[in-house]
Amino acid sequence: MKNTVELHARASMPLVIAHRGARGHAPENTLTSAALGHAVKADLWELDVNYTKDYKLVVVHDDTLVRTTNVEEVYPGRPSYRVCDFTLEELGRLDAGSWYEGRDQFGRVAAGELSAETLASFKGLRIPTLEQALELTKRFDWAVNVEIKNHAHLIGHDTVTKDVLEMIRRFDMVEQVIISSFQHRYLLECHDLCPEIATGALVENTRPDDPVELCRSLGVNAYHPDRLILAPGDLAALRDAGFAVNVWTVNDMDEARKLVEDGASGIITDFPAACRAALGRD
Ligand code: G3P
Ligand code: MG
C-alpha cells in the first residue's frame, strides 16, 4: 500500500504528482486522466473537490462548469453555471471530455500526438464524484492529493472537510491521501478531525513571510507553493525543518530538475511521464 507520509520521507525519490490527472494528455479531473497518470507511473495524482447543490463531492477545478463541460448546450439559459447550482443528477448529463480537443491547451492535438481513437474516447466522459475517484485510486493501490476548493460562498460550506474525511475513512484510505487547500482553515479542521492524515498548505500570489512558521502553525506535513512564489532558501529551510515541499505547476522539465536539486520533494505537473524521465525515475 502507498503511504503518502512515507512517500515523502524518502527524500532520495522526488515524487511525481499528476496534476488533475495527466492533464497535459487527457481532459483534466476525469477518471481517464487519472488512469493515464497511473499508467505512466506518477506517484500520486492531484484532484480538486467541489460541492454540488445537494452537497455531493465532485471532482471539478473551476467554480463554474463552462470551461470543462458542455453545460451551456445542455442547460441553455441557466442563470448560473456554478457547480454549486447543479445537483449531482444534473451533472450526470454533462460531457466533461469533448472540450479538450477544441481547446487543445497544450497543442498536443495540433502536434498530432493524440490519435483519432484517443480523442474519440474523451467524448462523453463524466465528471467523477470523489467517491469514484477514491475507488479508482484504491483499485490501483495508488495515492492521491485531494485539494479542497473554497466553499466559503456556500451556505453549509463548513461541512466540506468533515464530508471529505468521512469518505476517505469509508474507503480506508487515510494513508493513501494527502489533503491540500488554499483555505488553511480546512487544514486546521483536518488536523482536529483526523490528525493522522497528511496535509499540505497551498500558497499562491504572495509568499508568506515565513513559510516554515506557516507550516508549523497549521500542523501540516507539506508546503505546496506556486512555483512563482518560491524564494531562494525556502526549499532548504522547509526541508531542514522537516516539511515536504511539492511545487506546482511545473511543466518545464529543466525547472523540475533544478527544483529537485534544490530540495523539492515533489513536482506537481501536467506531464508526469516527461517529469519521471527528467528526474531519472525511469
Ligand atoms: O494543488 C496544486 C494546484 O492544483 C493548485 O492550483 O488552481 O491548479 O488547483 P489549481
Ligand atoms: Mg488543484
Side-chain angles (χ1 to χ4, degrees), residues 18-151:
H19 186 226
R20 309 182 203 171
R23 176 179 179 237
H25 297 278
E28 66 184 54
N29 278 329
T30 61
L31 297 184
T32 297
S33 65
L36 196 54
H38 181 259
V40 300
K41 302 198 184 103
D43 299 291
L44 303 86
W45 67 298
E46 187 260 6
L47 60 80
D48 305 287
V49 164
N50 260 297
Y51 254 153
T52 62
K53 188 176 180 181
D54 45 349
Y55 295 100
K56 304 290 188 231
L57 296 165
V58 289
V59 180
V60 185
H61 177 271
D62 299 358
D63 282 346
T64 87
L65 296 153
V66 172
R67 181 177 62 89
T68 58
T69 75
N70 60 344
V71 69
E72 289 170 306
E73 274 167 54
V74 178
Y75 297 101
R78 281 268 288 235
S80 158
Y81 289 119
R82 294 192 311 174
V83 180
C84 62
D85 289 322
F86 284 74
T87 64
L88 181 62
E89 190 187 3
E90 287 175 323
L91 292 189
R93 293 181 54 204
L94 301 180
D95 175 338
S98 291
W99 63 274
Y100 181 91
E101 181 174 355
R103 185 161 311 236
D104 196 16
Q105 182 176 354
F106 299 103
R108 302 276 140 169
V109 180
E113 290 178 23
L114 299 172
S115 68
E117 194 185 358
T118 299
L119 290 170
S121 74
F122 295 162
K123 301 206 183 305
L125 291 178
R126 296 300 176 209
I127 294 172
T129 59
L130 178 63
E131 188 170 19
Q132 290 168 329
L134 291 176
E135 192 275 327
L136 183 88
T137 309
K138 191 172 176 91
R139 186 149 41 86
F140 286 155
D141 191 21
W142 200 23
V144 62
N145 174 187
V146 173
E147 180 191 341
I148 305 178
K149 284 297 182 195
N150 187 5
H151 301 282

Side-chain angles (χ1 to χ4, degrees), residues 224-279:
H224 284 202
D226 180 343
R227 47 183 280 281
L228 300 174
I229 64 152
L230 262 186
D234 281 353
L235 285 165
L238 284 150
R239 296 306 302 277
D240 286 350
F243 297 106
V245 184
N246 300 315
V247 187
W248 55 277
T249 303
V250 184
N251 289 339
D252 177 314
M253 297 311 152
D254 290 333
E255 183 183 2
R257 262 191 299 268
K258 176 80 171 64
L259 285 163
V260 166
E261 271 169 32
D262 291 348
S265 48
I267 300 292
I268 300 177
T269 178
D270 296 322
F271 298 98
C275 192
R276 261 188 76 94
L279 299 182

